[in-house]
Amino acid sequence: QTWGSSNDFLGAMFARIFLEVGWTNEFLKQTTDGVLSERGVSAGLKAQIQQFRAEARFLRALAYWHGVDLFGPIPVVTVNNPTPPKQNTRQEVYDFIVSELIAIQPDLPSAGAGTYGRATKEAASMLLAKVYMNAEVYTGTPHYDLALAELTNVIAGPFSL
């Protein structure tokens, strides 16, 4: 495996990251409260869609983590910023990932029956822990204490061996 622009796997990974980001952004655009109201979506389904929106944002944060970890500075593309003027720094990507994961945790379900393969509070804590573990590489400042706090949340979850 050679790390360079001629490596098709690296090009495919970069493309896949931003394909996932694009899909997430389109889903978020199509599921705003205003769009759902225009389409006559029931209150019960709207509540369920709020959880799906949080799960989609988790997947986008995961894609950005893969991107910043593999490629360093990458553009952060969101619904509000669909065509970024520049690549963002690793610090900016890190800050975006952390803020997204913290913001969505209340809307994610707790791990348990019916959540297999879904983004849960514990999955968000695990991803936060991984991001915090690498904070020194991304930002120059270690955040091992924050990683430990998130891992403690995961360990205290409903899991067993």
Side-chain angles (χ1 to χ4, degrees), residues 16-55:
R16 182 60 191 204
I17 288 167
F18 284 96
L19 179 65
E20 188 163 341
V21 167
W23 284 340
T24 301
N25 288 339
E26 186 61 25
F27 176 78
L28 293 173
K29 272 199 301 192
Q30 297 299 324
T31 57
T32 63
D33 286 337
V35 170
L36 295 176
S37 292
E38 287 174 12
R39 293 178 178 162
V41 174
S42 69
L45 184 54
K46 276 186 186 179
Q48 195 175 18
I49 289 171
Q50 285 306 104
Q51 181 177 317
F52 294 156
R53 287 175 57 86
E55 291 182 58

Side-chain angles (χ1 to χ4, degrees), residues 79-136:
V79 174
N80 297 328
N81 187 20
T83 53
K86 61 176 177 64
Q87 287 198 148
N88 293 84
T89 65
R90 273 187 154 179
Q91 175 75 56
E92 291 168 331
V93 179
Y94 169 88
D95 291 342
F96 178 78
I97 295 167
V98 169
S99 67
E100 278 289 277
L101 292 171
I102 290 170
I104 64 172
Q105 272 189 319
D107 294 329
L108 293 171
S110 294
T115 61
Y116 179 78
R118 305 278 302 270
T120 61
K121 290 177 184 350
E122 294 79 10
S125 285
M126 192 66 221
L127 182 53
L128 266 171
K130 290 179 178 198
V131 172
Y132 289 146
M133 286 293 292
N134 290 292
E136 190 169 8

